[in-house]
Amino acid sequence: MGTDTVREQAADEAAERRREQRGWYVYDWACSVYSTSVLTVFLGPYLTSVAKAAADADGFVHPLGIPLSAGSFFAYCVSASVILSIFVMPLAGAAADRTGRKKPLLAVAAYVGAAATAGMFFLDGDRYLLGGLLLIVANASLAVSMVLYNSYLPQIAPPEERDAVSSRGWAFGYAAGSLVLVANLILYTAHDTFGVSEATAVRICLASAGIWWGAFTLIPLKRLRDRRTTSSSGTSTHGWRQLAATVRDLRRQPLTLAFLLAYLVYNDGIQTVISQASVYGSEELGLDQSTLIVAVLLVQLLAVAGALGMGRLARTYGAKRTILGSLVAWTVTLGAGYFLPAGAPVWFFVLAAGIGLVLGGSQALSRSLFSHLVPPGKEAEYFSAYEMSDRGMSWLGPLLFGLTYQLTGSYRDAIISLVAFFVLGFVLLARVPVGQAVRDAGNPVPDRI
């Protein structure tokens, strides 16, 4: 009878864990639409056009009295949002760790971001400042919510399940992004049939991403459970103290720190390509929004295939060599992008296919490689530093992109400037002896790494 009771309890716990996991997947389903529809497809070209409508005769806008090229305004706002995230993420993470109440904090971050995104419906005329403010708030809110979202993974999945659970969440996000982009494409291409202007169709697509984000967030908020922490000490600065302590500890693992630096550099390039590709396509190549939507759909679909394919390559050649190969592919892809002829959608689709094939795999393998370089028992704090590198440090690329355009007036020069991140990232990663790094971290060295 005692054994039966234990089995029943184990079965109940497993069922509850599955229920939480399913709820956890849905947040990726909810928020990924912002990343695809808003940040990657619609907002860059549209906010750029709004800024240009407000520009002076020399093509400059003047937020807070600072002269900025209207064509660079979107990139600068992305940089500002990431810098804001750097300050907010440690505070939110510390509050969650201190109180154990992640769910209320997740709700605040999600609904502030969703509300800012829904508010983009009112972005018309020359309201570029409104658009910049909403972008900064929404982007920073997404970054904070993802820190809290990711922190649930160790609680809802034992070690043997985490790869599968994490992958399912990732797949849910790509599925939602693809589904909503199809709906966006229908509305945008047939806007006359629906009785709305092209600009109104774009604003509906932007706002609907916020509504989607907010509506589906209700499911994880209902299913996820908070776990009370045993520690109630600390202040709002605890997050900074913990981050500083982690950095000090990383200095005792110089090879792990070297990998993290390499990842910070090349991931900055990846994130900038994702956020600025639509601006390049619309402003430099003269492609319409429908072409951009189809291109992003292609990226979404091929990213899954690329990740699986690169995973197989990693089993044969090792994760480090496969990532280095992907950085070469990124460099070649951007180089090809520089020479793309204007008004040629087919070649832009080829470029999108190249990005899709290396996008998912380069990021997925970087995370798995880093997991081998983390000392046992320090997974949470080290992955907090990794999250900061992933989401909190990707501001230099958009800044370089915006400055290059402002100085040269050419988006081709701006896009080719990003090659520097992949070349420098390649050099830094190539210098990391990952086998030794794994041993120094106190972990067994895989046959292929």
Side-chain angles (χ1 to χ4, degrees):
M1 186 66 177
T3 302
D4 291 340
T5 301
V6 170
R7 288 176 178 172
E8 289 175 2
Q9 289 178 340
D12 290 343
E13 289 174 0
E16 177 61 26
R17 189 169 68 247
R18 298 287 185 272
R19 183 177 185 276
E20 276 198 274
Q21 289 171 1
R22 288 191 289 269
W24 187 80
Y25 302 149
V26 176
Y27 188 69
D28 225 325
W29 173 275
C31 70
S32 292
V33 171
Y34 168 83
S35 298
T36 51
S37 290
V38 177
L39 194 61
T40 305
V41 178
F42 286 107
L43 188 57
Y46 186 71
L47 182 55
T48 300
S49 69
V50 172
K52 287 184 175 181
D56 59 22
D58 296 321
F60 284 82
V61 290
H62 300 269
L64 303 177
I66 303 170
L68 300 177
S69 169
S72 299
F73 183 70
F74 172 71
Y76 289 150
C77 288
V78 173
S79 283
S81 71
V82 177
I83 293 171
L84 176 61
S85 302
I86 294 171
F87 289 98
V88 179
M89 282 194 295
L91 301 180
D97 288 341
R98 188 174 66 252
T99 65
R101 293 179 58 80
K102 297 176 184 177
K103 193 156 64 171
L105 293 170
L106 176 61
V108 170
Y111 283 108
V112 168
T117 306
M120 292 176 186
F121 179 79
F122 302 101
L123 176 58
D124 59 359
D126 58 358
R127 297 178 178 175
Y128 77 97
L129 282 176
L130 174 64
L133 176 63
L134 293 175
L135 166 60
I136 290 169
V137 171
N139 234 23
S141 297
L142 176 66
V144 171
S145 74
M146 290 306 294
V147 169
L148 299 165
Y149 166 73
N150 288 335
S151 70
Y152 272 101
L153 182 58
Q155 297 179 345
I156 65 173
E160 65 273 12
E161 292 182 6
R162 284 178 199 165
D163 287 345
V165 170
S166 179
S167 298
R168 290 188 196 112
W170 183 76
F172 264 64
Y174 273 102
S178 300
L179 178 64
V180 173
L181 273 179
V182 170
N184 292 158
L185 180 61
I186 293 171
L187 173 62
Y188 182 82
T189 55
H191 60 84
D192 289 335
T193 303
F194 291 102
V196 297
S197 67
E198 181 178 297
T200 301
V202 171
R203 292 190 290 118
I204 291 172
C205 291
L206 293 171
S208 64
I211 295 171
W212 177 285
W213 185 356
F216 282 103
T217 295
L218 291 171
I219 296 174
L221 292 180
K222 183 177 181 180
R223 292 197 172 189
L224 291 172
R225 293 188 297 111
D226 278 334
R227 278 80 169 171
R228 293 290 183 179
T229 180
T230 56
S231 173
S232 59
S233 62
T235 66
S236 61
T237 60
H238 176 71
W240 294 104
R241 290 202 302 271
Q242 180 60 59
L243 183 61
T246 302
V247 171
R248 286 195 298 271
D249 193 70
L250 272 165
R251 292 173 64 183
R252 292 192 286 271
Q253 301 289 338
L255 297 182
T256 300
L257 184 59
F259 171 82
L260 201 58
L261 176 62
Y263 174 73
L264 185 155
V265 172
Y266 67 74
N267 182 64
D268 200 345
I270 292 172
Q271 297 301 322
T272 307
V273 173
I274 293 171
S275 66
Q276 303 302 322
S278 60
V279 176
Y280 180 68
S282 64
E283 296 296 319
E284 184 67 38
L285 303 182
L287 303 176
D288 59 31
Q289 199 73 61
S290 300
T291 300
L292 299 178
I293 296 171
V294 174
V296 173
L297 271 173
L298 187 61
V299 170
Q300 296 280 103
L301 295 173
L302 288 179
V304 177
L308 296 174
M310 286 179 63
R312 293 191 182 94
L313 287 174
R315 288 196 291 271
T316 303
Y317 299 104
K320 177 184 173 180
R321 288 183 180 178
T322 306
I323 295 170
L324 288 172
S326 77
L327 298 181
V328 174
W330 274 107
T331 302
V332 172
T333 301
L334 287 183
Y338 178 84
F339 295 103
L340 284 186
V346 172
W347 289 110
F348 192 70
F349 292 150
V350 173
L351 181 70
I355 291 174
L357 287 172
V358 295
L359 173 61
S362 54
Q363 292 181 310
L365 288 178
S366 296
R367 180 170 63 178
S368 63
L369 179 55
F370 182 71
S371 69
H372 292 287
L373 311 183
V374 177
K378 297 185 177 181
E379 292 83 2
E381 60 180 281
Y382 271 59
F383 269 102
S384 294
Y386 184 86
E387 186 70 23
M388 287 288 288
S389 296
D390 188 18
R391 295 185 178 273
M393 299 298 180
S394 300
W395 58 272
L396 186 57
L399 180 62
L400 176 63
F401 186 93
L403 283 174
T404 304
Y405 175 77
Q406 182 156 335
L407 294 173
T408 67
S410 169
Y411 282 107
R412 292 186 188 273
D413 291 339
I415 202 73
I416 201 66
S417 70
L418 301 180
V419 166
F421 291 94
F422 298 105
V423 173
L424 180 57
F426 181 98
V427 172
L428 291 173
L429 179 58
R431 292 170 58 88
V432 179
V434 291
Q436 185 62 47
V438 175
R439 282 190 290 271
D440 289 353
N443 295 316
V445 182
D447 293 336
R448 295 206 178 270
I449 188 71

